[in-house]
Amino acid sequence: MALKMEKSKELFEEAKKYLVGGVNSPVRYFKPYPFFVEKAKDCYLFDVDGNKYIDYCLAYGPMVLGHANENIIKAVKEQLELGTAYGCPTEKEIILAKEVVKRVPCAEMVRFVNSGTEATMSAIRLARGVTGRKKIIKFDGAYHGAHDYVLVKSGSGALTHGTPNSPGIPEETTKNTILVPFNDEDAIKKAINENKDEIACVIVEPVMGNVGCILPKEGYLEFLREITEENDILLIFDEVITGFRLAKGGAQEYFGVVPDIATLGKILGGGFPIGAIVGKKEIMEQFSPLGAIYQAGTFNGNPISITAGIATLEQLDDKFYRETSRTAKILSDTLRDLVDRYNINAKVYNIASMFQIYFNENEVLNYEIAKMSDVERFMKYFWGLLERGVFVPPSQFECCFTSIKHDDEVIDKTIKAMEDVFKELE
Ligand code: HOZ
């Protein structure tokens, strides 16, 4: 290995004794061992062996302002002095909720939770409670967090580590989860026809960001909106990744398709744990204490995450969207050029600040096609970049992100690293 990683190796050996697989989330593990981070600033991660990496993983999405953002630090420090959890409401929750409602088209009301997983779990419960129906439709390869309703044919670490259907989930729990391929109108029509009046919701990542970066075909999200409306099925956009990223109002603003419910997370917490369920008033009011659908949590709306969220959204101006989209496009175009120049079987996808290369000869429209990618070649690309100081998520089935701190100098360094890596990719 060209990289000096002795200290990381030592820490990994120690970590394995106490932490399952040496990590606290499977996506963080890669062979032979991951680097251990000492600190992070702007678009850089610094590891315990003194290596510095340009970071395109960005903690799997939240750090769009870069690491250790000054305004967030200042706001959170002030809040720390005032207390970290009250179990009582605060004015700041109203401030952040108002910001969310102002930006996100479907959001008339908000419930803050602590992770994207909690958000999708509660959103599905809400949809089932409101409609009185049990079945849900989910897309093959979509990842909506690590809870039982949705951990079937799932993406992200579950796919990377070869367990898209997790043992430990009773089939009774997932027998009501109907799976269909993404971007396939006939498949979902068929599923709806075969389960008439039984489906509570369709849950979809408008851009599939947990199996790489799969874009919806033109008109596909509009089609989902129409077919769900026609069949009194609630449409849930899981915008944990796309929320506040594709546009101020997320994918629903970007594509002009407004769901009934949306789930948010990642960017919303500015690097602190958060999730949110948002939606139309008459739906959201079915949550307890107004309605009977129970949803609760000691740290829901905790003042630290809320403070960081306010300080984050304040900084997401037009320049932020313009710049993060511009840099992600430059890198995507670079990869496409390199694919052509070296005649590599690969496809590159990009939208706003998201991008990914698939080592795959086919257009990647869904999970089945994504799975045909050459993951060994991807890991060669990953290591080539890492050895040159560029960190992309260590899986073919994750997505890269740019932050506002990825300036032209950083992008040029990345391009140089990509060019060098492609020279070695056979
Ligand atoms: N959505 C993230 C990865 N695609 C989750 C990160 C994790 O599992 O740790």
Side-chain angles (χ1 to χ4, degrees), residues 5 10 36 46 55 88 102 109 135 145 166-167 171 173 194 221 275 283 302 305 325 376 387 398 407 415:
M5 286 180 72
E10 260 173 48
F36 278 59
F46 299 83
D55 184 11
C88 301
K102 198 163 88 189
M109 299 201 95
K135 295 187 179 175
S166 172
E171 63 191 42
T173 310
E194 285 174 359
L221 296 174
I283 297 174
N302 77 79
S305 300
S325 300
E376 268 177 40
E387 283 166 3
E398 299 290 350
D407 60 17
I415 291 174

Side-chain angles (χ1 to χ4, degrees), residues 25-28 60 143 156-157 209-210 241 266 397-398:
S25 194
V27 295
R28 296 177 201 169
Y60 292 91
Y143 178 76
S156 192
N210 288 284
I241 288 182
K266 299 208 192 263
F397 306 115
E398 299 290 350

